[in-house]
């Protein structure tokens, strides 16, 4: 599946900058997700949107702000980040959010973020 | 709480040989799904195979098969006739079907290197 795209692929930002990550899915799915992948740590779920409604905020700091204007687009707005926020940020989508094979999540290529 | 354990941080396998990647899980939910993903160095998480907890037969997808042993709570991935392009990180993941516990939980991954 190559139906989930993410931009930019690489981002370098200072701690005082404001930037946004964009995710778009072309699969007709109803649920979208943001994950953070740091070195030597399991994938961490950050946010879940189901039918454009946020259903999960996994204790993420407020300097990360998600936005889901429709079922196909998901943004992650970043401001005043810390160096420890440097990681690969992955977006995913799934048909449903209710259990079963239809919940298979398909991922985008990720945005590799470096905070200086 | 759900937990995925992958005990092999790294594996080296000769090209064309079969390889088994181990995964054990822990959950108290009766209904759940098990997933395997491949992550090449490019970063994208590629879905490989799915096994439902009530599926009678082990899942197969081309060269991938899942050796599901429910009583032992294990869901090992078997790759037959390995290829150089199989070199990547492999993640086992689980998702419960119970309401409120649908998060996809990932293991720490196994880095597979195929030797020519």
């Amino acid at each position: 599946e190559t139906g989930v795209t993410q931009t930019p692929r690489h981002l370098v930002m200072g701690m005082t900058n404001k930037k946004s990550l964009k995710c778009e899915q072309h699969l007709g799915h109803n649920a979208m997700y943001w994950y953070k992948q740091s070195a030597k740590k399991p994938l961490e779920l950050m946010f879940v949107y189901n039918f454009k409604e946020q259903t999960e905020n996994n204790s993420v700091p407020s300097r990360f702000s998600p936005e889901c204007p429709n079922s196909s687009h998901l943004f992650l707005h970043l401001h005043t980040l810390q160096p420890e926020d440097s990681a690969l940020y992955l977006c995913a989508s799934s048909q449903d959010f209710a259990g079963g094979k239809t919940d298979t999540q398909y991922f985008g290529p990720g945005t590799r973020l470096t905070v200086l | 709480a759900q937990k995925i354990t992958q005990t092999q941080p790294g594996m080296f396998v000769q090209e064309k040989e079969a390889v088994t990647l181990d995964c054990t899980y822990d959950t108290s939910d009766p209904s759940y799904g098990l997933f395997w993903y491949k992550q090449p160095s490019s970063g994208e998480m590629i879905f490989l195979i799915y096994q439902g907890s009530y599926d009678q037969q082990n899942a197969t997808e081309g060269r991938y098969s899942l050796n599901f042993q429910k009583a032992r709570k294990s869901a090992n991935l078997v790759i037959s006739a390995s290829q150089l392009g199989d070199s990547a990180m492999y993640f086992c993941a689980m998702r419960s079907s119970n309401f409120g516990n649908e998060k996809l939980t990932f293991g720490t991954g196994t880095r597979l290197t195929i030797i020519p």
Side-chain angles (χ1 to χ4, degrees), chain B residues 2 18 23 34 74 87 96:
Chain B
Q2 300 175 130
C23 172
L34 295 155
S74 74
S87 295
S96 168

Side-chain angles (χ1 to χ4, degrees), chain A residues 61-73:
Chain A
S62 59
R63 57 186 183 268
F64 295 91
S65 175
E67 179 189 0
C68 188
N70 54 62
S71 293
S72 299
H73 294 86

Side-chain angles (χ1 to χ4, degrees), chain A residues 95-110:
Chain A
Q95 179 65 51
D96 295 306
F97 186 70
K101 192 171 185 179
T102 54
D103 288 339
T104 297
Q105 294 181 22
Y106 295 91
F107 286 77

Side-chain angles (χ1 to χ4, degrees), chain A residues 5 11 13 22 35-37 46-48 52-53 57-58 62 66-67 72 78 85-86 88 92 99 105 114-115:
Chain A
T5 58
L11 179 63
M13 59 187 289
K22 179 182 176 181
Y35 286 89
K36 175 184 179 182
Q37 187 177 30
M46 300 176 72
F47 301 104
V48 180
K52 301 188 298 177
E53 298 296 321
N57 178 339
N58 209 27
S62 59
E67 179 189 0
S72 299
L78 316 171
D85 296 322
S86 297
L88 180 68
Q105 294 181 22
T114 302
V115 181

